[in-house]
Amino acid sequence: MKKLLALTAVFAAISTASAAENCRVVNMGFNPAQDSAAVLTNGSAIAKYLETKIRGIQVKTTVAQDYQALVEATRSGKLDFAWLSPVSYVQAHDQAKAVVLLKSVRGTSPYYWAAFVVRKDSGIKTMNDMRGKTIAWIDPNSAAGYTFPRATLVAKGINPDTFFSKQTFAGKHDAAVLSLANGSVDVIATFSNNTQGTSGSWTQYLPADKAAALVPVVYSKPIPGDTLSVRADYQSGCADVTARIRSAIVGMKNDPAAAGLLKKLYTIDAMIPAQDSDYNVVRQAIAASAKK
């Protein structure tokens, strides 16, 4: 009996050590919303920051090829944490049991908007003026670049698939604003940080003179901020590391150097606590955008 108890204790110790080792290496994936090389550089800087704040962990970073690939990598267990767009979070929650930890704040708002943006000299000033024009969406799983702007049209009784003469996918927001600026398309659907037309992808990715030549003409409903999410099984098995990472990222807003890392990553000013119900409006938009 004593030998059995001793062996049980040994196996328990081995299991605990194995779990600790699994928790020590953290796999974190980033959303390819803009230039992937820049996202990887800035994501790696976030990883190094976390390693200095949480003793003993190693954070490995990757940038997904597209939005869906980030969801799939979470589902397959290749990623422990993922910086997910609102739509990708909802998908990862349903398909990969992802748990939202934090959401982004830009300026003072935990919301942003989708905007239809055009060139100022295009003559397009209203939603109806976009009829028959060419549009570049971002990605089928982009909240601001597809789901919410489509839902905005559907709410007005418009079928997006017949409303425009041609639809393309730019893949990234920076690519979309460039295609609009150079005249390749008439309209893009992209993110805006406010509804005054002063801050959005066009001001972020273009020089001031070129950004000034573009203007948003229609906005969507507010969209809850993009997320930092974790796999549920990782959270349950590595609760301490999960809590420490969450706390460290929330605390970045209080450290000017660390806050600068968030700003470089996705133009984020802070990350704040979030819950799944915050994204019910996204679920509603997904359902609406699928209608014709």
Side-chain angles (χ1 to χ4, degrees):
M1 184 65 178
K2 288 182 179 179
K3 288 183 177 179
L4 179 60
L5 290 173
L7 285 172
T8 300
V10 169
F11 286 130
I14 291 173
S15 177
T16 300
S18 176
E21 177 64 20
N22 290 338
C23 295
R24 187 185 69 80
V25 178
V26 178
N27 294 292
M28 182 173 285
F30 291 86
N31 182 2
Q34 59 197 63
D35 178 66
S36 294
V39 173
L40 183 59
T41 296
N42 296 325
S44 296
I46 298 283
K48 290 184 183 302
Y49 170 82
L50 292 173
E51 290 173 351
T52 65
K53 289 293 181 179
I54 306 168
R55 184 177 179 182
I57 69 166
Q58 177 186 5
V59 183
K60 296 182 177 180
T61 58
T62 186
V63 179
Q65 181 178 354
D66 55 35
Y67 289 69
Q68 185 57 41
L70 193 58
V71 175
E72 176 56 27
T74 304
R75 187 199 65 77
S76 65
K78 293 178 180 177
L79 294 177
D80 305 313
F81 293 84
W83 296 73
L84 294 162
S85 74
V87 170
S88 294
Y89 162 68
V90 168
Q91 295 173 333
H93 178 270
D94 294 344
Q95 301 171 20
K97 298 181 179 178
V99 178
V100 63
L101 299 175
L102 303 171
K103 60 184 175 183
S104 63
V105 172
R106 294 178 175 88
T108 59
S109 176
Y111 297 95
Y112 65 110
W113 290 261
F116 289 104
V117 181
V118 302
R119 292 183 300 280
K120 282 185 177 179
D121 62 3
S122 67
I124 301 171
K125 299 185 182 301
T126 67
M127 180 182 291
N128 194 56
D129 291 338
M130 297 189 296
R131 186 182 302 274
K133 304 300 183 181
T134 60
I135 185 170
W137 309 101
I138 304 303
D139 182 282
N141 294 323
S142 170
Y146 189 75
T147 302
F148 274 77
R150 281 180 66 93
T152 300
L153 294 175
V154 170
K156 297 294 185 181
I158 295 170
N159 180 347
D161 293 331
T162 58
F163 184 67
F164 298 103
S165 61
K166 183 180 179 181
Q167 303 178 76
T168 59
F169 287 99
K172 304 175 190 295
H173 290 276
D174 52 355
V177 295
L178 285 172
S179 69
L180 179 63
N182 66 26
S184 297
V185 294
D186 300 315
V187 184
I188 61 170
T190 188
F191 69 83
S192 180
N193 296 323
N194 59 38
T195 55
Q196 288 76 53
T198 59
S199 178
S201 63
W202 63 101
T203 64
Q204 183 173 326
Y205 300 127
L206 292 177
D209 59 333
K210 291 188 176 181
L214 307 183
V215 61
V217 292
V218 178
Y219 294 96
S220 72
K221 292 180 178 179
I223 308 170
D226 34 302
T227 80
L228 175 68
S229 300
V230 64
R231 281 190 297 111
D233 55 350
Y234 181 90
Q235 183 183 41
S236 61
C238 304
D240 181 62
V241 173
T242 300
R244 287 172 180 267
I245 287 177
R246 181 179 184 271
S247 179
I249 291 177
V250 168
M252 292 177 78
K253 64 184 178 183
N254 301 317
D255 177 342
L261 299 179
L262 286 176
K263 197 78 170 179
K264 288 181 180 179
L265 180 63
Y266 297 126
T267 323
I268 295 169
D269 290 296
M271 296 293 286
I272 62 173
Q275 56 189 4
D276 179 70
S277 60
D278 295 344
Y279 294 86
N280 286 340
V281 66
V282 179
R283 294 179 171 95
Q284 294 165 7
I286 291 171
S289 69
K291 296 177 181 178
K292 305 294 185 182

